[in-house]
Amino acid sequence: MNYFESVPKIKYEGKDTDNKYAFRHYNPEEIILGKPMKDHLRFAVAFWHTMTEDGSDPFGDGTYQRNWEGNSPMDTAKNRVDAFFEILEKLDAEYFCFHDVDIAPQGDSLKEFFENIDVITDYIKEKMDKTGIKLLWNTANMFTHPRFVNGAATTNNADVYSIAAAQVKKGLDVSKKLNGENYVFWGGREGYENLLNTDMNFELDNLARFYRMVIDYAKSIDHQPQFLIEPKPKEPTKHQYDYDAATAMAFIQKYELENDFKLNLEANHAILAGHTFEHEINVARNYDSLGSLDANQGDLLLGWDTDEFPTDIYTATLAMYEVLENDGIAPGGINFDAKVRRTSFEMEDLVLAHIAGMDTYARGLRSAAKMKNDKFFEQIIEDRYASFSAGIGKQIIENKEDLESLTKYALSLNEVENKSGHIEHIKSLMNDYLV
Ligand code: XUL
Ligand code: CO
């Protein structure tokens, strides 16, 4: 059965096409800076937003029209897998991502949940073998169930901690079975509501202990995906421990996890932390810890995680510039952690929204590649820091100066001459690169 009857396979037709079911910018095989666009972008579709949501919000019921409801929860779960792979194939997306609870009903016990996961992942594996579509990452949802009210790996309840451990063990078994390239930890409930009853240090020690168990188990089953921590400052918890890239790196370094953990950065989470997406990617790169990207966008007028499909080519360009500077994103990818608006309730909106996101990132890649070819930022940066490439500046970066020698030099100066940053001019020149 076809779930998206009216949707054909999406192909690249160029920007003048009036076919809404076509890529206008994403041309998977086109070579950019020596490799096909698809290898730069490594697009993934998120199971949760695409298959399990209904468009409800705190003030209103669901609006989405969907046609995969079955006669039982397991029936629906299988139908969803069919519909999901139909979308993946039609979009020519190479990767997908999921939480355990997205794909399989939780049933009445943990045991039943795990059995359901086994059945559904067997089915997913068949689809993967048939289509060649790959698993970018999976993760355990340890934030929806009421038992996680006080956290999962940072809970005050040792039984809950144990259930979290069991869920992640299962997640790693599934990752091995489906050959997952990464495995994500997003700690929606790992944080605190109030410091008055919280031992933050105790909770963080426990979180690190949990991650060490993860590393050990992965080694023991001989499957080592790249582990990724996904920072977010708040929502649902008031304060989340993996606040932003810099905070997550401080944690990773304090507990010496840097050989096994990198970061999965999400655009909307960056905004909530008061940063740009490119800032977060840049920070990760500085630590050699850029793992993967959750591509979406927030609304600057709202203070919550709207998870919109990315259509802002400015942000996509700066994000892709960072990816190019990183020498690529693999084994990570660009995952659309994004949902269609409540008002985009037709089935075809799921496909149209992904086309919009893929075209936006393709434009970002093209613009960023042009800037890289022209050494646009390199020249700006070289010019800005020119005082460190000769004379006293060069001496400083070669560690040949100290406070006494610099004082002697400073006292010999009459006045300093600073250069303007010309930032308005730079922004205007950058606009010319946007395709
Ligand atoms: C929540 C979020 C998650 C993670 C995976 O804001 O981004 O969907 O990406 O748990
Ligand atoms: Co995310």
Side-chain angles (χ1 to χ4, degrees), residues 48-304:
W48 54 103
H49 287 310
T50 312
M51 305 315 301
T52 70
E53 275 164 18
D54 64 1
S56 54
D57 69 16
F59 297 93
D61 294 342
T63 57
Y64 295 169
Q65 299 163 358
R66 300 292 182 254
N67 61 3
W68 44 71
E69 211 53 45
N71 293 326
S72 68
M74 277 304 266
D75 223 30
T76 303
K78 279 193 185 154
N79 293 347
R80 282 181 174 150
V81 172
D82 288 334
F84 189 59
F85 274 82
E86 191 184 331
I87 296 183
L88 287 164
E89 280 197 273
K90 286 188 166 162
L91 286 170
D92 223 350
E94 276 193 285
Y95 288 94
F96 66 103
C97 303
F98 66 88
H99 301 82
D100 46 7
V101 306
D102 308 335
I103 57 159
Q106 294 185 69
D108 292 326
S109 66
L110 197 60
K111 189 166 169 286
E112 194 181 331
F113 181 33
F114 288 174
E115 284 163 5
N116 290 343
I117 289 176
D118 287 340
V119 174
I120 298 294
T121 52
D122 279 348
Y123 194 51
I124 289 178
K125 189 170 178 347
E126 266 176 46
K127 295 269 179 190
M128 291 172 73
D129 290 344
K130 223 181 278 169
T131 59
I133 293 165
K134 294 169 279 187
L135 176 60
L136 186 67
W137 53 260
N138 60 314
T139 184
N141 175 324
M142 303 188 293
F143 43 89
T144 300
H145 196 286
R147 70 168 69 97
F148 297 117
V149 59
N150 291 316
T154 61
T155 173
N156 58 328
N157 182 329
D159 288 351
V160 174
Y161 190 94
S162 309
I163 291 177
Q167 249 182 278
V168 171
K169 177 186 174 296
K170 188 73 189 167
L172 292 172
D173 292 338
V174 164
S175 173
K176 179 174 164 111
K177 172 167 160 184
L178 303 182
N179 211 9
E181 298 187 22
N182 306 268
Y183 187 90
V184 163
F185 295 90
W186 170 64
R189 306 270 175 203
E190 313 293 22
Y192 64 79
E193 186 188 358
N194 203 309
L195 207 45
L196 296 178
N197 63 356
T198 302
D199 185 339
M200 182 162 23
N201 206 41
F202 178 85
E203 295 195 1
L204 289 171
D205 280 354
N206 264 355
L207 181 58
R209 212 182 309 284
F210 192 93
Y211 288 148
R212 286 199 199 99
M213 290 185 209
V214 165
I215 294 169
D216 288 347
Y217 183 69
K219 281 195 184 121
S220 80
I221 61 169
D222 198 21
H223 172 64
Q224 283 153 277
Q226 175 64 56
F227 293 119
L228 302 172
I229 290 176
E230 183 175 326
K232 185 175 182 181
K234 58 187 168 192
E235 198 204 0
T237 303
K238 188 178 85 171
H239 176 91
Q240 280 164 217
Y241 289 138
D242 304 316
Y243 194 94
D244 60 2
T247 315
M249 285 316 303
F251 171 85
I252 286 172
Q253 293 198 328
K254 176 178 177 189
Y255 292 100
E256 298 179 345
L257 298 166
E258 59 268 41
N259 291 335
D260 298 278
F261 280 79
K262 289 189 172 181
L263 301 180
N264 181 39
L265 298 165
E266 175 167 325
N268 206 158
H269 297 179
I271 298 294
L272 293 181
H275 303 308
T276 60
F277 194 23
E278 61 272 17
H279 165 92
E280 288 292 85
I281 308 173
N282 195 292
V283 169
R285 249 181 1 88
N286 292 340
Y287 285 96
D288 199 15
S289 293
L290 173 56
S292 198
L293 298 179
D294 271 7
N296 58 11
Q297 73 189 26
D299 188 321
L300 292 177
L301 303 182
L302 301 173
W304 69 90

Side-chain angles (χ1 to χ4, degrees), residues 370-421:
K370 269 212 293 173
M371 289 197 294
K372 206 163 155 61
N373 256 334
D374 287 0
K375 299 195 183 323
F376 176 69
F377 286 125
E378 273 104 317
Q379 273 168 19
I380 290 167
I381 298 295
E382 202 182 300
D383 189 45
R384 182 168 162 83
Y385 297 97
S387 81
F388 284 90
S389 50
I392 192 74
K394 188 155 183 272
Q395 292 277 107
I396 292 171
I397 59 169
E398 287 173 357
N399 300 318
K400 289 180 180 155
E401 300 293 334
D402 57 29
L403 289 188
E404 282 181 52
S405 66
L406 289 177
T407 301
K408 201 167 147 212
Y409 177 79
L411 288 171
S412 76
L413 295 170
N414 288 327
E415 210 23 91
V416 295
E417 215 180 290
N418 268 312
K419 285 199 230 178
S420 165

